[in-house]
Amino acid sequence: MKRTLPLAMLLALSLVPTARAATEADYKAAYAAAEAASKEAASLRHQWTTTVSTLAAAKKAADGGDFDRAFAAAKEAEALAKASIFQANSEKEAWKAMEIR
């Protein structure tokens, strides 16, 4: 009985996913997705300046070899771009509700 508890704990801990460092390939994939979303936002004429600066920060971190920070910044830039796209699409019709009649 006493051996089964440590064995069960060891088994449970082995199933916990471990954090791993982002690789250059992870960064490149995240950056490409962020850049595509940013270009879509720009085509809607609704690109946020924070998206551009976050993409620049991702590139700078990657150039310095810090792929963890670069990956995180690229994911943040993608989220910002997607939020700006959502805002652009929702405001296409929302302004009509504010119009004085």
Side-chain angles (χ1 to χ4, degrees):
M1 282 290 236
K2 290 183 180 180
R3 288 186 182 172
T4 58
L5 182 60
L7 185 59
M9 289 177 59
L10 182 62
L11 180 62
L13 289 175
S14 68
L15 297 176
V16 175
T18 58
R20 66 173 183 86
T23 64
E24 186 175 4
D26 295 335
Y27 155 71
K28 286 183 177 181
Y31 190 85
E35 195 171 42
S38 181
K39 286 181 181 178
E40 183 180 347
S43 72
L44 295 170
R45 299 180 52 101
H46 205 81
Q47 186 179 38
W48 294 351
T49 57
T50 54
T51 305
V52 176
S53 61
T54 307
L55 274 173
K59 185 158 179 52
K60 183 177 179 182
D63 290 343
D66 188 355
F67 294 112
D68 286 333
R69 186 178 302 169
F71 177 76
K75 287 303 226 179
E76 181 181 353
E78 181 182 11
L80 288 168
K82 287 182 176 181
S84 66
I85 292 166
F86 176 80
Q87 183 182 29
N89 290 331
S90 66
E91 288 181 0
K92 281 182 183 177
E93 297 295 321
W95 67 271
K96 292 177 183 177
M98 304 280 292
E99 186 178 86
I100 298 173
R101 297 177 195 252

